[in-house]
Amino acid sequence: AGKFCQHATPEASQATLASVSPVFAVMKLDKEGNTTYFEKKKTELYQELGLQARDLRFQHLMSIATRNNRIIMRMEFLKAVITPEFLLILDYRNLNLEHWLFNELASQLAGEGQLVTYSLPFEFRAIEAILQYWISKLQGRLYTLQPQILETLEALVDPKLLSVDRSKLHILLQNGKSLSELETDVKVFKETILEILDEEELIEELCLSKWTDPQVFEESTSGIDHAEEMELLLENYYRQAEDLANEARELRVLIDDSESIIFINLDSHRNVMMRLNLQLTMGTFSLSLFGLIGVAFGMNLESSLEEDPRIFWLVTGIMFLGSGLIWRRLLSFLGRHLEPPLPPHVPAVLKKSQPAAGRVEIKNNLKAETFGLSRSTLTNE
């Protein structure tokens, strides 16, 4: 009974683990573009493919690896396993890629699309179809962001605006965040391909049919190097990703430059307002300074001056004239201290010596050119 319990316990545990094993919704496409759909547990799937359980974990967000003559690819949410005979798309129901999966992928693998690797083995077509979809997705994201960012920047970078529209800044902030995410995705895509291009053995391992199909192996030994074709395929999409990265970088630089222009415009308007405030303050100071005369005459003190009707106009004129003179002096003082400094004075001796030095340099250049021409003439002769 003890032995029976010992054997029954592991069997029960294995049955329990098998029952909780995740189930993949699999889409299978063969060389002719025929498509089948089925569900299979992870344990059964990796056993049929001759893989290990860790090979189907898809730990990295983007990776291309080979295991037991199988290519395991992941492009974020897209998980695929490529063999020399078929392509498996895992969890295809959760990808929101119905148009590409059901309308384009099968025809591309069957040779009806625009893949340049149709004459090569099946794994070339599968890899190119996935890379083409992903690079087109990145291009679509960039071409969607670019007009939005340019339109927002054009609305913000306007010297006539005295203030900045906060809604436009909010839109620019969101677009900048989306652009940063796109730059990160493009960078990860480039690094994934570059890791393979740097290792010749990895490129050889991607050529699955070279080691399973005798005809392909004979072609590779007779002059058609499939490893070189794989390297050219990966380099093509690496170059496209590099172009996307350059366009995104230029857009980022444009955003940074536009932000600097916005800050300069705001600083310019702020300086104008500060200068106007300073001028009004100086005018108020000068007016209040000579207003003391009117305050003195407005006191309840009697003198012989208030009896003369011309004193009022005389005192008023002196107040306004003195205030105007003081205000003008303050403005001239402000202008002298705010205008840019003059360039340093260049002595006349240096001014006269500069053309001479220029003539000496031109003569030396002409001598060098003449010497070079004479040497070339002697050489020709």
Side-chain angles (χ1 to χ4, degrees):
K3 293 182 179 180
F4 178 75
C5 292
Q6 291 177 358
H7 288 290
T9 302
E11 292 178 357
S13 62
Q14 291 178 1
T16 304
L17 292 176
S19 62
V20 299
S21 178
V23 178
F24 286 123
V26 184
M27 178 180 182
K28 181 179 180 181
L29 302 98
D30 58 9
K31 298 180 180 179
E32 287 75 23
N34 300 322
T35 307
T36 56
Y37 309 94
F38 56 89
E39 293 184 356
K40 187 160 289 191
K41 293 183 179 181
K42 180 179 179 180
T43 54
E44 299 175 355
L45 185 61
Y46 71 72
Q47 289 174 2
E48 289 183 4
L49 295 174
L51 301 174
Q52 300 292 330
R54 61 177 176 271
D55 296 331
L56 299 181
R57 289 177 188 164
F58 299 99
Q59 299 177 357
H60 303 285
L61 290 178
M62 195 168 294
S63 63
I64 303 175
T66 54
R67 297 287 188 276
N68 195 19
N69 208 33
R70 304 284 188 267
I71 300 176
I72 304 171
M73 295 185 64
R74 179 172 185 181
M75 297 293 164
E76 289 189 2
F77 46 82
L78 180 60
K79 306 173 186 177
V81 179
I82 304 173
T83 70
E85 294 81 19
F86 54 84
L87 165 65
L88 299 180
I89 305 295
L90 307 182
D91 292 334
Y92 69 94
R93 296 175 181 171
N94 302 325
L95 299 181
N96 296 324
L97 305 176
E98 290 81 4
H99 179 74
W100 177 67
L101 289 175
F102 300 111
N103 300 331
E104 298 181 6
L105 182 57
S107 60
Q108 287 178 342
L109 296 178
E112 299 177 1
Q114 298 179 352
L115 299 181
V116 297
T117 56
Y118 177 68
S119 59
L120 295 172
F122 176 75
E123 63 269 14
F124 285 81
R125 281 178 275 166
I127 292 175
E128 184 182 6
I130 295 175
L131 293 180
Q132 187 184 76
Y133 165 75
W134 194 252
I135 201 71
S136 63
K137 182 177 179 62
L138 295 176
Q139 288 176 349
R141 290 169 58 186
L142 178 63
Y143 296 154
T144 303
L145 281 174
Q146 191 172 12
Q148 297 178 1
I149 293 176
L150 294 178
E151 182 181 359
T152 306
L153 293 179
E154 186 178 359
L156 288 174
V157 184
D158 190 355
K160 298 179 181 179
L161 296 178
L162 298 178
S163 62
V164 179
D165 190 356
R166 293 186 178 181
S167 61
K168 296 292 184 181
L169 287 178
H170 183 66
I171 295 173
L172 182 62
L173 181 62
Q174 291 180 342
N175 292 334
K177 183 179 179 181
S178 301
L179 183 62
S180 300
E181 294 175 355
L182 176 61
E183 288 176 336
T184 303
D185 293 341
V186 174
K187 181 181 178 182
V188 173
F189 181 79
K190 287 171 49 183
E191 292 176 350
T192 302
I193 296 180
L194 190 61
E195 289 178 359
I196 301 175
L197 292 175
D198 290 339
E199 298 292 338
E200 186 176 356
E201 296 180 357
L202 297 178
I203 299 176
E204 291 282 351
E205 291 176 357
L206 291 177
C207 304
L208 304 179
S209 301
K210 183 177 181 180
W211 314 109
T212 58
D213 192 345
Q215 182 180 357
V216 176
F217 183 78
E218 291 178 1
E219 291 178 355
S220 61
T221 55
S222 63
I224 303 176
D225 191 356
H226 288 81
E228 184 177 354
E229 296 290 339
M230 181 64 72
E231 184 177 1
L232 292 175
L233 174 64
L234 295 177
E235 283 183 353
N236 178 32
Y237 285 96
Y238 179 82
R239 186 173 63 253
Q240 293 186 32
E242 184 69 25
D243 294 339
L244 278 179
N246 292 334
E247 292 182 12
R249 193 179 303 111
E250 292 177 358
L251 201 58
R252 173 65 63 185
V253 172
L254 183 61
I255 291 176
D256 296 338
D257 294 342
S258 300
E259 289 179 353
S260 301
I261 294 174
I262 292 171
F263 292 145
I264 290 173
N265 289 336
L266 292 178
D267 290 340
S268 176
H269 293 303
R270 189 182 300 111
N271 292 336
V272 171
M273 298 303 295
M274 292 176 62
R275 184 161 184 166
L276 179 60
N277 186 21
L278 184 58
Q279 291 176 354
L280 292 177
T281 303
M282 290 187 300
T284 305
F285 169 74
S286 59
L287 187 61
S288 61
L289 181 64
F290 279 86
L292 295 176
I293 301 175
V295 173
F297 279 93
M299 297 174 66
N300 295 325
L301 297 177
E302 295 182 358
S303 63
S304 60
L305 296 177
E306 66 269 10
E307 297 178 357
D308 191 350
R310 295 173 297 177
I311 294 298
F312 171 78
W313 300 108
L314 178 63
V315 172
T316 304
I318 292 174
M319 288 173 53
F320 280 100
L321 181 61
S323 300
L325 292 176
I326 293 296
W327 189 46
R328 293 295 301 173
R329 292 297 299 272
L330 292 176
L331 289 179
S332 62
F333 175 80
L334 179 64
R336 286 196 304 270
H337 285 76
L338 290 181
E339 62 184 9
L342 296 175
H345 178 68
V346 180
V349 178
L350 294 179
K351 291 183 180 179
K352 292 180 181 180
S353 62
Q354 286 179 356
R359 287 194 295 270
V360 172
E361 184 178 359
I362 293 173
K363 288 181 180 180
N364 292 334
N365 293 334
L366 290 175
K367 288 181 180 179
E369 292 177 359
T370 306
F371 181 71
L373 291 174
S374 62
R375 289 186 61 185
S376 61
T377 305
L378 291 175
T379 305
N380 294 330
E381 292 178 353

